[in-house]
Amino acid sequence: MLDEVQIAPLRERSRGGSAPIARPYAQALVFRNGAGRAALALGLSALALCLMPGVGLVLAVFAVALGVVGVRRARRLEASNHRQAQLGVFIGSVAGVIAVAVSITVIVLYPQLRDFRHCLDNATTQTDYDTCTAQLRHALDARFR
């Protein structure tokens, strides 16, 4: 890929401080952008799947972890996609918060949702479906009063 191998700048930051160190002219530098790209892809996937309990949370954790790796590589000038990595961390974090909220909601409301599903499995007419919905609404009202 074209953006993987670029000509290194003549000067770059040293590892210990802010003083630049000289680099030989036109030495090829291979950027390791995989972690930042993967963080962005996993963050977007986590955001798309965050309403599925567990799945979105796992993807979000991996997105944040890979994003942190990508940001660190970019700070050490080993990668050139600092913004992609940062975006992966941000989107993964947002998806993680949503996934945690959805997972907690499902855990808290599991008995009501289980009864509603059982009622729907036995329903055959529209009246039965309406009755199941009314029972769920009544159970949720009782739960949060």
Side-chain angles (χ1 to χ4, degrees):
M1 291 183 210
L2 291 177
D3 65 333
E4 292 293 324
V5 177
Q6 297 180 359
I7 302 301
L10 291 177
R11 296 176 139 325
E12 69 177 33
R13 291 183 297 183
S14 65
R15 294 196 189 272
S18 60
I21 58 173
R23 230 173 154 50
Y25 179 71
Q27 178 183 356
L29 179 65
V30 178
F31 288 117
R32 298 169 55 195
N33 292 331
R37 286 183 186 156
L40 184 57
L42 285 173
L44 291 172
S45 299
L47 192 60
L49 299 173
C50 66
L51 297 180
M52 295 178 66
V55 176
L57 184 59
V58 170
L59 291 174
V61 167
F62 282 117
V64 170
L66 285 173
V68 168
V69 169
V71 167
R72 287 183 180 169
R73 283 183 183 170
R75 284 187 183 156
R76 290 189 310 254
L77 301 175
E78 295 174 6
S80 62
N81 60 347
H82 188 262
R83 290 190 191 249
Q84 271 185 343
Q86 283 181 328
L87 198 56
V89 170
F90 177 74
I91 293 174
S93 299
V94 169
V97 168
I98 294 170
V100 166
V102 168
S103 296
I104 289 172
T105 302
V106 167
I107 290 169
V108 167
L109 298 179
Y110 180 75
Q112 290 82 10
L113 295 173
R114 182 192 58 220
D115 294 342
F116 178 65
R117 183 67 194 169
H118 181 68
C119 182
L120 287 179
D121 288 342
N122 296 327
T124 55
T125 65
Q126 184 62 40
T127 306
D128 293 340
Y129 286 109
D130 294 340
T131 303
C132 292
T133 304
Q135 287 175 353
L136 176 64
R137 191 170 293 136
H138 177 70
L140 291 176
D141 285 342
R143 170 89 176 160
F144 293 111
R145 282 188 184 194

